[in-house]
Each structure stands twice: as structure tokens, then as C-alpha cells.
Amino acid sequence: LDELFDIVKCRVGRLVVYLTSDTLRRPWCAGEITITSQTHRRLVAVQTPSFRSPSESELDNIGAYLDLTDTKLVQYGITNAFISDAFKWLLQGKMVGFTQNLIGRALFHSLVD
């Protein structure tokens, strides 16, 4: 994960977050969103029909919300408080609805333009 987080920090101009029912529960996704919120702050959130925002209580108890069975993000300098703040930042930003009738480059350009 260290290499992945370094790539997000140094080489990704805009992070595209594909929000499904499980995206925000995955530790590597939480880490990528947190790194983005702390560095370049350029992100596009694509909301799929299955996405449900975490509740305020889930954000306040982010350690229980995340699936951290195999990964401890704190070893990468990513604390639960950082993750909670990053998720709040993400959820307050612009969300793009998933447009299923677009494919390929048309879909990509609809997300980042």
C-alpha cells in the first residue's frame, strides 16, 4: 500500500472515486481518498445506484465502519480522524451520477471535464 499511496500523492492529477456500496469500507480506498484530501484535493466522485453515504455516527466511529481486518492504515500515517475528515470532505463535494448510456472516452470526459 505504501507504493500505491505514494503514486496517489505524487503522480495522480485527479482521483476518480467510483462509489459503490463497499468503496468507503475498503482500507486502500479510504487511504487513497485521505491522501488526496491532504495533498492536491482534486477528486471526482462517481456515485453508482448502490452507494449509500455513511451516517454521521458511522463517520464518528470510522474504525468500526471500515473493514480493517487485514490492513492497519495508521502504519502509513493515516489515522481514523484523517479518514473521517476525508470522507466528510468527499461527501460534501460534487457527486457525479453514473451515466450508463456513456462508454469509453465519452464516459471518461463526462466525469473529468
Side-chain angles (χ1 to χ4, degrees):
L1 284 180
D2 196 34
E3 185 176 340
L4 173 65
F5 295 154
D6 189 54
I7 290 170
V8 170
K9 184 177 182 178
C10 301
R11 298 175 71 193
V12 171
R14 182 184 314 243
L15 184 69
V16 177
V17 180
Y18 191 73
L19 294 168
T20 66
S21 59
D22 293 327
T23 303
L24 297 183
R25 293 186 182 273
R26 295 185 177 120
W28 55 90
C29 295
E32 291 174 354
I33 294 165
T34 302
I35 295 295
T36 299
S37 75
Q38 293 177 339
T39 57
H40 47 78
R41 300 182 64 88
R42 295 187 58 186
L43 178 141
V44 174
V46 181
Q47 185 174 353
T48 66
S50 68
F51 177 69
R52 183 190 65 79
S53 293
S55 68
E56 194 65 37
S57 64
E58 288 171 324
L59 290 172
D60 290 340
N61 191 12
I62 202 75
Y65 178 76
L66 291 171
D67 178 11
L68 295 172
T69 53
D70 295 327
T71 305
K72 303 296 180 222
L73 293 173
V74 73
Q75 73 189 46
Y76 304 101
I78 301 172
T79 66
N80 286 350
F82 291 159
I83 296 167
S84 181
D85 289 345
F87 281 8
K88 289 174 184 176
W89 168 74
L90 166 76
L91 296 169
Q92 291 172 356
K94 180 183 174 190
M95 298 268 185
V96 177
F98 182 70
T99 308
Q100 294 183 356
N101 61 342
L102 295 177
I103 60 171
R105 289 183 185 190
L107 177 59
F108 174 79
H109 288 293
S110 76
L111 299 175
V112 296
D113 288 340

